[in-house]
């Protein structure tokens, strides 16, 4: 197996975008994502269903200090995205960080992180399909939950198979609904907080609720770290825009814009919305855990049918996550196929520029995981869920180590492409590595977190060992094939109808 080409070996290698005017990305994919698609994917990518359904447990654990937890994780994500943006702006590709790890750290790194990331998203497909099915079954109970899970998976698979543009269009509207909903929640909530919202049932206490129920840190400073563990995984998905950029009209511009806007996106959607919740209600209000943080806040204002309104928004977030999860898993499988790290069929595209085999391969595993969720929820599916649980942190850690090496490669070979730069390099990169490592170590002190870290490490170790053994075996097999071919040729024993299969 040959090594990955360097950045400057050709004007355009198979992993680089081609001519946007012709719709060719240079690797068989089509540049079918418009700038408005990329903008909304970038904005909506940080708003996952976890923000809506998981924030209440974080508030219950840390009180108003959950804001610090969100700020710490948000800072970590901003730094990771800055590093990824630096590499993606210089070299947009459907494999994103997996391709960069391949180039900077070695084949084992690109192979391992690529397959782990694929595994993470196909498990997420099952989780989100089930979550969506629960909501839809509540509205139309005549269709069983497994039926709804099947329906949403099939519909979104078909949209991804049609064209990348159809994925972008669906995601544009899904993300748009999330953005408008959160934006409206923040504006209306802040008006209610300061008592200037007409007709509000909440008198508005200003900033009083931040300290009036046991102080800002009612459960101590340690609860902030507990909150970090509870909220960190709701940020996963911000990196999707760097994979999608390779199929856009102007990849470099899209990545640069997404990277530069990540600070305000996290500030408004995460910190802004959680700030509204903990200022509208005391953190220990029982309705926050019972009804969910956003529903409780809307009920306190007097918004009618708040629960159903939030169900619609959560369903939109679930469908968005499903749509993007299938797209992301398929493009990572496509990139792995291009590099010879997955079946060759995964690297083939149809006439519409869609990697059909990569999509179907990903969704088949997703369907199997959904079946496991209904058949063996507490055994097989629990193992899948936990063994992929810490992969998000592994991905961020790999991005950091990759950027440390890729900066030098880009400067040496294509310095003009370094249009996005990591701040205070390499010091902030090392600080981010330390932050992520601390979170992983701290997870070992938490019972649920310990299970996720250990099983995820087991999965990672298996993939890494497999990749290393594979690289040691394949060169010998390739060399033997070449030797055999030479022997046949030298012996002049090949007839016109004979063929020699050489895997060079």
């Amino acid at each position: 197996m040959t090594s990955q080409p360097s950045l400057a070996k050709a004007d355009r290698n198979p992993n680089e975008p081609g001519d946007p005017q012709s719709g060719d990305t240079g690797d068989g994919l089509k540049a079918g994502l418009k700038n408005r698609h990329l903008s909304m994917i970038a904005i909506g990518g940080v708003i996952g269903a976890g923000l809506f359904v998981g924030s209440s447990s974080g508030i219950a654990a840390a009180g108003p200090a959950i804001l610090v937890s969100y700020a710490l994780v948000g800072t970590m994500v901003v730094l990771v995205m800055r590093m990824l943006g630096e590499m993606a702006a210089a070299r947009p590709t459907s494999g994103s960080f997996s391709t960069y790890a391949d180039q900077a750290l070695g084949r084992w790194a690109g192979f391992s992180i690529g397959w782990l990331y694929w595994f993470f998203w196909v498990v997420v497909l099952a989780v989100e399909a089930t979550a969506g099915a629960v909501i839809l079954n509540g509205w139309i109970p005549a269709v069983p939950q497994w039926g709804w899970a099947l329906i949403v998976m099939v519909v979104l698979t078909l949209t991804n198979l049609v064209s990348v543009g159809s994925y972008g269009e669906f995601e544009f509207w899904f993300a748009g609904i999330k953005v408008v909903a959160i934006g409206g929640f923040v504006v209306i909530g802040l008006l209610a907080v300061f008592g200037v919202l007409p007709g509000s049932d909440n008198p508005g206490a200003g900033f009083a609720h931040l300290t009036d129920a046991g102080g800002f840190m009612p459960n101590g400073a340690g609860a902030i770290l507990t909150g970090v563990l509870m909220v960190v995984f709701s940020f996963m998905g911000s990196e999707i825009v760097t994979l999608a950029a390779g199929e856009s009209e102007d990849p470099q511009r899209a990545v640069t814009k997404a990277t530069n806007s990540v600070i305000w996106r996290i500030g408004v959607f995460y910190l802004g919305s959680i700030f509204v919740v903990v200022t509208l209600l005391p953190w220990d209000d029982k309705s926050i855990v019972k009804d969910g943080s956003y529903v409780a806040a809307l009920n306190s204002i007097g918004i009618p049918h708040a629960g159903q309104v939030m169900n619609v928004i959560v369903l939109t977030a679930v469908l968005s996550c499903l749509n993007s999860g299938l797209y992301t898993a398929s493009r990572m499988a496509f990139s792995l196929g291009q590099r010879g790290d997955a079946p060759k069929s995964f690297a083939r595209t149809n006439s519409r520029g869609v990697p059909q085999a990569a999509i179907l391969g990903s969704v088949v595993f997703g369907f199997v995981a959904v079946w496991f969720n209904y058949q063996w929820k507490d055994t097989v599916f629990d193992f899948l869920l936990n063994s992929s649980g810490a992969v998000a942190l592994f991905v961020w850690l790999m991005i950091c180590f990759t950027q440390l090496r890729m900066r030098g490669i880009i400067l040496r070979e294509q310095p003009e492409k370094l249009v996005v730069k990591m701040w205070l390099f390499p010091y902030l990169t090392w600080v981010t590595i330390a932050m992520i490592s601390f979170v992983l170590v701290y997870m070992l002190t938490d019972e649920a977190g310990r299970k996720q870290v250990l099983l995820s490490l087991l999965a990672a170790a298996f993939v890494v060992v497999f990749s290393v053994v594979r690289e040691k075996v394949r060169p010998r097999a390739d060399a033997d094939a070449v030797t055999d071919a030479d022997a046949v040729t030298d012996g002049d024993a090949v007839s016109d109808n004979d063929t020699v299969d050489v895997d060079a």
Side-chain angles (χ1 to χ4, degrees):
M1 179 60 63
T2 58
S3 61
Q4 186 75 12
S6 67
L7 297 181
K9 281 191 177 180
D11 291 336
R12 188 182 77 203
N13 73 42
N15 278 334
E16 279 193 320
D19 180 9
Q21 300 302 321
S22 67
D24 176 26
T25 67
D27 53 15
L29 299 174
K30 298 290 185 182
L33 292 176
K34 300 176 181 177
N35 286 330
R36 66 181 179 88
H37 293 154
L38 263 292
S39 296
M40 197 56 75
I41 289 170
I43 295 172
V46 297
I47 309 173
L51 173 62
F52 300 104
V53 299
S55 56
S56 57
S57 58
I59 293 172
I66 193 67
L67 289 168
V68 180
S69 303
Y70 273 103
L72 288 173
V73 178
T75 300
M76 193 164 67
V77 172
V78 166
L79 294 174
V80 170
M81 277 299 295
R82 188 72 185 184
M83 288 179 254
L84 184 55
E86 176 181 295
M87 297 182 287
R91 190 171 173 79
T93 172
S94 59
S96 187
F97 50 83
S98 174
T99 302
Y100 311 140
D102 194 316
Q103 295 166 354
L105 303 177
R107 293 303 300 270
W108 70 270
F111 178 96
S112 302
I113 205 65
W115 276 113
L116 285 171
Y117 192 68
W118 178 87
F119 174 56
F120 171 85
W121 278 110
V122 292
V123 173
V124 166
L125 291 181
V127 174
E128 299 297 338
T130 303
V134 169
I135 295 174
L136 289 166
N137 179 252
W139 293 340
I140 308 177
V143 179
Q145 277 190 26
W146 65 265
W148 280 120
L150 181 66
I151 289 170
V152 296
M153 287 277 279
V154 168
V155 169
L156 293 177
T157 299
L158 292 176
T159 65
N160 274 266
L161 285 172
V162 170
S163 69
V164 69
S166 64
Y167 154 73
E169 199 63 34
F170 267 76
E171 191 56 26
F172 176 82
W173 292 106
F174 285 152
I177 292 172
K178 291 190 294 183
V179 169
V180 170
I182 290 290
F185 176 82
V186 171
V187 172
I188 293 173
L190 287 175
L191 292 175
V193 165
F194 296 106
V196 294
L197 180 68
S200 173
D201 294 343
N202 192 310
F207 301 127
H209 289 322
L210 294 177
T211 56
D212 64 2
F216 184 72
M217 293 187 291
N219 297 324
I224 293 175
L225 296 176
T226 302
V228 166
L229 301 187
M230 292 181 169
V231 306
V232 65
F233 299 106
S234 65
F235 283 81
M236 193 64 173
S238 55
E239 70 289 335
I240 291 174
V241 68
T242 64
L243 282 84
E247 294 176 80
S248 70
E249 297 168 339
D250 188 350
Q252 191 177 79
R253 177 178 177 272
V255 170
T256 303
K257 186 177 179 182
T259 303
N260 290 334
S261 64
V262 70
I263 297 176
W264 72 259
R265 287 186 278 131
I266 288 176
V268 171
F269 299 128
Y270 279 86
L271 289 174
S273 61
I274 298 301
F275 175 81
V276 165
V277 173
V278 295
T279 49
L280 273 176
L281 294 166
W283 71 271
D284 56 354
D285 191 300
K286 296 187 184 304
S287 64
I288 292 178
V289 174
K290 179 184 176 184
D291 302 325
S293 53
Y294 291 86
V295 173
L298 292 173
N299 280 334
S300 77
I301 296 172
I303 302 294
H305 310 294
Q308 288 305 318
V309 170
M310 192 51 59
N311 272 340
V312 172
I313 297 169
V314 171
L315 179 62
T316 302
V318 164
L319 295 177
S320 172
C321 192
L322 262 174
N323 194 37
S324 288
L326 181 53
Y327 171 84
T328 303
S330 66
R331 278 3 181 230
M332 186 57 73
F334 169 80
S335 178
L336 288 165
Q338 276 194 315
R339 287 174 272 149
D341 292 337
K344 291 180 180 179
S345 60
F346 283 7
R348 300 191 188 109
T349 57
N350 59 22
S351 59
R352 298 183 301 277
V354 173
Q356 187 169 297
I359 291 174
L360 293 176
S362 301
V363 81
V364 163
F365 193 95
F367 276 125
V368 171
V370 170
W371 183 69
F372 283 154
N373 192 20
Y374 286 104
Q375 192 71 21
W376 297 297
K377 180 180 178 63
D378 297 325
T379 53
V380 178
F381 188 73
D382 183 66
F383 174 80
L384 290 177
L385 200 60
N386 283 291
S387 59
S388 65
V391 166
L393 293 170
F394 294 168
V395 168
W396 294 345
L397 204 56
M398 186 67 78
I399 289 171
C400 295
F401 283 113
T402 300
Q403 191 261 342
L404 285 171
R405 295 288 299 275
M406 279 296 288
R407 167 68 75 93
I409 296 174
I410 296 170
L411 282 175
R412 184 174 64 253
E413 300 182 351
Q414 291 178 307
E416 73 281 359
K417 291 197 173 185
L418 195 64
V419 295
V420 176
K421 293 183 179 180
M422 176 59 182
W423 307 296
L424 297 177
F425 176 83
Y427 307 109
L428 272 184
T429 300
W430 282 111
V431 167
T432 310
I433 290 172
M435 292 171 66
I436 298 171
S437 301
F438 177 81
V439 172
L440 283 168
V441 171
Y442 190 76
M443 285 178 72
L444 294 174
T445 67
D446 175 75
E447 185 176 352
R450 186 184 310 116
K451 189 175 182 180
Q452 288 187 352
V453 171
L454 294 178
L455 288 178
S456 296
L457 281 172
L458 179 64
F462 172 80
V463 176
V464 170
V465 169
F466 180 83
S467 67
V468 171
V469 172
R470 175 177 171 272
E471 285 304 304
K472 288 184 179 295
V473 171
R474 291 189 66 165
R476 287 201 299 271
D478 292 345
D480 291 343
V482 172
T483 302
D484 291 343
D486 289 341
V488 171
T489 303
D490 291 341
D492 197 23
V494 181
S495 69
D496 291 340
N497 294 325
D498 289 332
T499 60
V500 178
D501 185 14
V502 181
D503 183 15

